[in-house]
Amino acid sequence: MSNTIWSGRFSEPVSDLVKRYTASVSFDRRLASQDIRGSLAHAQMLVRQGIIQPVDLAAIERGLAQIAGEIERGEFEWSLEAEDVHLNIERRLTALIGDAGKRLHTGRSRNDQVATDIRLWLRDTLDTMDGLLQNFQKALLELAEAHADTPLPGFTHLQVAQPVTFGHHLLAYFEMLRRDRERFKDCRRRVNRLPLGAAALAGTTFPIDREWVAQALEFEGVCENSLDAVSDRDFAIEFCAAASLVMVHVSRFSEELILWMNPRVGFIDLADRFCTGSSIMPQKKNPDVPELARGKTGRVVGHLMGLLTLMKAQPLAYNKDNQEDKEPLFDTADTLIDTLRIFADLVPGIRVKPEAMAAALRQGYATATDLADYLVKCGLPFRDAHEAVARAVRAAELKGCDLPDLSLAELQAFSPLIEEDVFAVLTVAGSLAARDHIGGTAPEQVRAAIARARTYLSQ
Ligand code: ARG
């Protein structure tokens, strides 16, 4: 005797394999608290509208409270027979309180129920995410402040380009995370709409009050169209897209950490607690955490592709396909949460090696642009200045020295406009200080950016 909810319609039970294939309880049980919360609001509305009786509500509230306790204590018996989180809870409720439990599903379908649960879950997740991104930003800001003056070779094409400060470099990531937070915030607005009331797809014949339920569950409003309400998963895709960008940012940072930690570069060292050794090579200290974060980016981007493909060409309204939305969504959130937690801890453990950064700056003619700008300020057109400096760099290269190591006479061979004051321009400190405008790398500007960032973080 099958005990599934719809058994009356069927003449044979599903096979065990099909049962396992179609069940989602192994992963959607993590929606249990959202499911209970949604059921409570729905039941309260049913009473307010005179659709069920207050005694039913009292029983439902008592039963759901008990179930919540059982789940929390790990005593709840999840069963594959009942397929998913919704039916598991409903079945237990009916076992506990009888007919009132069977009345809970009046005017509702699992289709609007599951959409509501996911939205409630994602809303909480987005709030958690914002706090974690903020902590990561704080960690970057602290380190940036400590290194507002520390010169670092800025790269383009991974070749020495111009001096920047390490603080300025870190603030670039701060900006990426600021946009990430904005994207999540924007995503939250579209997550925060109530599907309940759409029922299976067309709405319900009962005189429900969707606005009341929306308010009770702190949604900003209701989904306007019942077909869309049960079948829309845009919000999950948006979340995964924003999450993918977070991971892309983390992967860029990770790549730099890995590069900076390579002994040939040696700009930083990571705290031992984020690294592991090799089972065969005793000398190794591997930057495992950044490497894994870089790798896990592929996983999160993959989930985005998975969800997009899941929804592509799906006809209206609900289709069982949609059950496949949860695992990528959950795994995206879990991966992000762990990654962000770890990075907020990893950043303060970065040991910066300013000497290695300074040494690298002495090798790549990082102030060549400054010399060109100097000549322009003396009246030379920029293209001519560029050419004069290119020749100077070649001469320095042949001599095996840096630009400021050339004598004034040697430099004047490339342009008679060059005077003694050129040497202030050719120093790293001079180069940095000269980029003195908003968004520039002058230490004064970096400190101003840090001050603005602090104000932003305190809002
Ligand atoms: N477990 C389902 C899901 O995750 C719940 C909705 C099922 N609805 C249905 N009519 N089979 O999407």
Side-chain angles (χ1 to χ4, degrees), residues 409-423:
E410 283 171 312
L411 286 167
Q412 281 170 337
F414 304 105
S415 170
L417 295 169
I418 295 175
E419 304 280 356
E420 185 63 40
D421 61 355
V422 76
F423 291 103

Side-chain angles (χ1 to χ4, degrees), residues 34 78 113:
Q34 289 79 13
W78 296 101
Q113 188 178 356

Side-chain angles (χ1 to χ4, degrees), residues 109-147:
S109 154
R110 276 186 299 155
N111 298 351
D112 56 347
Q113 188 178 356
V114 69
T116 302
D117 292 1
I118 305 172
R119 284 171 186 262
L120 285 171
W121 177 86
L122 190 50
R123 191 176 70 185
D124 288 347
T125 302
L126 282 165
D127 294 341
T128 304
M129 220 59 91
D130 189 60
L132 294 174
L133 284 166
Q134 196 179 14
N135 290 343
F136 189 7
Q137 282 185 310
K138 276 182 196 155
L140 287 169
L141 199 57
E142 293 295 317
L143 195 60
E145 187 154 48
H147 293 282

Side-chain angles (χ1 to χ4, degrees), residues 24-140:
S24 54
V25 64
S26 62
F27 51 85
D28 68 13
R29 52 198 264 190
R30 71 188 276 178
L31 294 174
S33 71
Q34 289 79 13
D35 198 66
I36 289 172
R37 202 176 158 203
S39 288
L40 284 171
H42 178 68
Q44 284 154 6
M45 180 277 290
L46 291 178
V47 170
R48 288 174 60 88
Q49 299 301 104
I51 300 166
I52 64 171
Q53 297 308 307
V55 300
D56 293 326
L57 176 61
I60 288 169
E61 286 177 336
R62 181 164 36 80
L64 287 177
Q66 172 162 345
I67 291 170
E70 288 173 0
I71 293 171
E72 211 168 297
R73 293 188 297 275
E75 292 165 3
F76 191 87
E77 275 182 47
W78 296 101
S79 111
L80 207 63
E81 292 296 323
E83 193 180 317
D84 57 21
V85 60
H86 324 291
L87 296 180
N88 266 272
I89 290 176
E90 190 183 324
R91 189 168 77 162
R92 175 74 182 135
L93 184 66
T94 302
L96 286 172
I97 65 170
D99 280 355
K102 297 185 197 165
R103 293 201 174 96
L104 171 62
H105 212 52
T106 312
R108 184 177 78 169
S109 154
R110 276 186 299 155
N111 298 351
D112 56 347
Q113 188 178 356
V114 69
T116 302
D117 292 1
I118 305 172
R119 284 171 186 262
L120 285 171
W121 177 86
L122 190 50
R123 191 176 70 185
D124 288 347
T125 302
L126 282 165
D127 294 341
T128 304
M129 220 59 91
D130 189 60
L132 294 174
L133 284 166
Q134 196 179 14
N135 290 343
F136 189 7
Q137 282 185 310
K138 276 182 196 155
L140 287 169

Side-chain angles (χ1 to χ4, degrees), residues 51-314:
I51 300 166
I52 64 171
Q53 297 308 307
V55 300
D56 293 326
L57 176 61
I60 288 169
E61 286 177 336
R62 181 164 36 80
L64 287 177
Q66 172 162 345
I67 291 170
E70 288 173 0
I71 293 171
E72 211 168 297
R73 293 188 297 275
E75 292 165 3
F76 191 87
E77 275 182 47
W78 296 101
S79 111
L80 207 63
E81 292 296 323
E83 193 180 317
D84 57 21
V85 60
H86 324 291
L87 296 180
N88 266 272
I89 290 176
E90 190 183 324
R91 189 168 77 162
R92 175 74 182 135
L93 184 66
T94 302
L96 286 172
I97 65 170
D99 280 355
K102 297 185 197 165
R103 293 201 174 96
L104 171 62
H105 212 52
T106 312
R108 184 177 78 169
S109 154
R110 276 186 299 155
N111 298 351
D112 56 347
Q113 188 178 356
V114 69
T116 302
D117 292 1
I118 305 172
R119 284 171 186 262
L120 285 171
W121 177 86
L122 190 50
R123 191 176 70 185
D124 288 347
T125 302
L126 282 165
D127 294 341
T128 304
M129 220 59 91
D130 189 60
L132 294 174
L133 284 166
Q134 196 179 14
N135 290 343
F136 189 7
Q137 282 185 310
K138 276 182 196 155
L140 287 169
L141 199 57
E142 293 295 317
L143 195 60
E145 187 154 48
H147 293 282
D149 296 275
T150 306
L152 168 85
F155 293 157
T156 60
H157 312 270
L158 214 56
Q159 313 292 317
V160 172
Q162 291 172 1
V164 295
T165 74
F166 189 55
H168 192 57
H169 192 101
L170 292 171
L171 288 183
Y173 287 101
F174 187 96
E175 290 305 310
M176 295 180 219
L177 298 176
R178 186 206 300 262
R179 293 193 295 275
D180 289 329
R181 290 179 68 192
E182 283 171 11
R183 265 185 287 271
F184 278 145
K185 200 170 159 199
D186 190 51
C187 170
R188 193 187 191 282
R189 291 193 302 122
R190 282 177 293 278
V191 168
N192 204 18
R193 301 226 148 231
L194 174 78
L196 271 183
L201 76 165
T204 173
T205 57
F206 295 97
I208 55 170
D209 185 348
R210 297 187 67 206
E211 301 289 352
W212 188 89
V213 178
Q215 261 190 11
L217 295 174
E218 293 168 83
F219 282 106
E220 271 168 51
V222 301
C223 299
E224 291 275 345
N225 177 287
S226 64
L227 295 160
D228 183 49
V230 292
S231 64
D232 169 39
R233 296 292 182 273
D234 292 3
F235 63 90
I237 293 173
E238 282 188 45
F239 169 74
C240 287
S244 294
L245 273 172
V246 173
M247 288 304 290
V248 165
H249 297 151
V250 170
S251 78
R252 297 181 71 180
F253 188 49
S254 296
E255 176 75 6
E256 298 207 304
L257 294 174
I258 294 162
L259 181 74
W260 292 340
M261 202 178 125
N262 179 291
R264 288 280 172 123
V265 180
F267 290 173
I268 62 151
D269 200 8
L270 289 181
D272 285 354
R273 65 181 185 283
F274 301 106
C275 301
T276 62
S278 157
S279 59
I280 176 168
M281 298 166 281
Q283 84 284 11
K284 291 290 287 266
K285 178 177 169 185
N286 298 327
D288 283 39
V289 165
E291 288 174 81
L292 257 180
R294 193 173 57 178
K296 284 176 190 288
T297 304
R299 173 187 186 118
V300 170
V301 173
H303 291 325
L304 169 63
M305 294 307 134
L307 282 186
L308 283 166
T309 313
L310 177 71
M311 295 314 293
K312 178 189 173 293
Q314 245 198 65

